[in-house]
Amino acid sequence: MASSRKVIELFYDVVSPYSWLGFEVMCRYRNVWNIDLKLRPAFLGGIMQGSGNKPPGLVPNKFLYMTTDLHRLAQYFQVPISPPADPFEAMFEKGSLSAMRFVAAVQEREVGGDKQVEQVSRELWMRIWSQDKDITQPASLSEVPECTQVTELEFKASLHSSSVSCFSHAFGFPLAVCHVNGKAEVFFGSDRFELIADCIGEKWMGPQPTAAKL
């Protein structure tokens, strides 16, 4: 008898480049591992504040390390991360509240999976973390191909729901919640894929699983 598919929830925010790494890898493994991947867009700023955590950008030594770290990780994971000219402004002064409200509202409208929210999320990451574009202005969001008739009321309701659902677990993103045998196992960061694989009884084959199978 075939084993039941495991459910993995991935909580993320497009303001976080580490979330982008986790997002792309989990999307690559969605059809490799025996899982149902549930994308959970949420607002990192609220999670950080609620948990009392401090972003790496506010710790000078961590911020310097992050610059080098992201360059290495972009190459390893094959994700086109190219930090904006002023990462501090992009992450902490402008933030991602309006963008994440938009993503959550798109997901609220979507029927039959997360294809559209995946495309929208990736487009926003590309804009902030590869093309150095502003994602805070309505005019910028309107350039996203999947932007449809989404109201401000939908923004607020959808994002609030996503954020509250993971609040008890979270202190940062990306956050993967693996549901196995009625138990939720929580993994933080973009460097826990081997442990996630072990948790769900699957095999980690590196950042490019399709290439590894050839």
Side-chain angles (χ1 to χ4, degrees), residues 15 56-59 63 66 84-95 129:
V15 79
L58 298 183
V59 180
F63 189 75
M66 186 177 72
D86 189 341
F88 189 90
E89 178 189 44
M91 288 188 289
F92 305 114
E93 293 181 6
K94 293 183 176 179
W129 284 105

Side-chain angles (χ1 to χ4, degrees), residues 165-213:
S165 67
C166 76
F167 189 80
S168 62
H169 299 299
F171 56 87
F173 292 158
L175 191 79
V177 182
C178 303
H179 298 272
V180 181
N181 298 324
K183 185 179 180 182
E185 296 285 351
V186 181
F187 299 89
F188 165 74
S190 56
D191 57 354
R192 293 294 184 267
F193 301 116
E194 297 95 331
L195 293 175
I196 292 173
D198 182 70
C199 175
I200 63 176
E202 296 286 349
K203 183 179 179 182
W204 167 248
M205 294 178 284
Q208 298 283 354
T210 302
K213 293 175 68 176

Side-chain angles (χ1 to χ4, degrees), residues 62-74:
K62 284 186 178 181
F63 189 75
L64 289 173
Y65 174 79
M66 186 177 72
T67 303
T68 301
D69 192 40
L70 287 176
H71 177 70
R72 291 185 300 219
L73 291 171

Side-chain angles (χ1 to χ4, degrees), residues 5-6 26 39 41 46 70 92 100 117 140 161 194 206:
R5 292 175 68 82
K6 310 298 193 304
M26 293 308 302
L39 300 178
L70 287 176
F92 305 114
M100 294 314 296
V117 76
S140 179
S161 175
E194 297 95 331

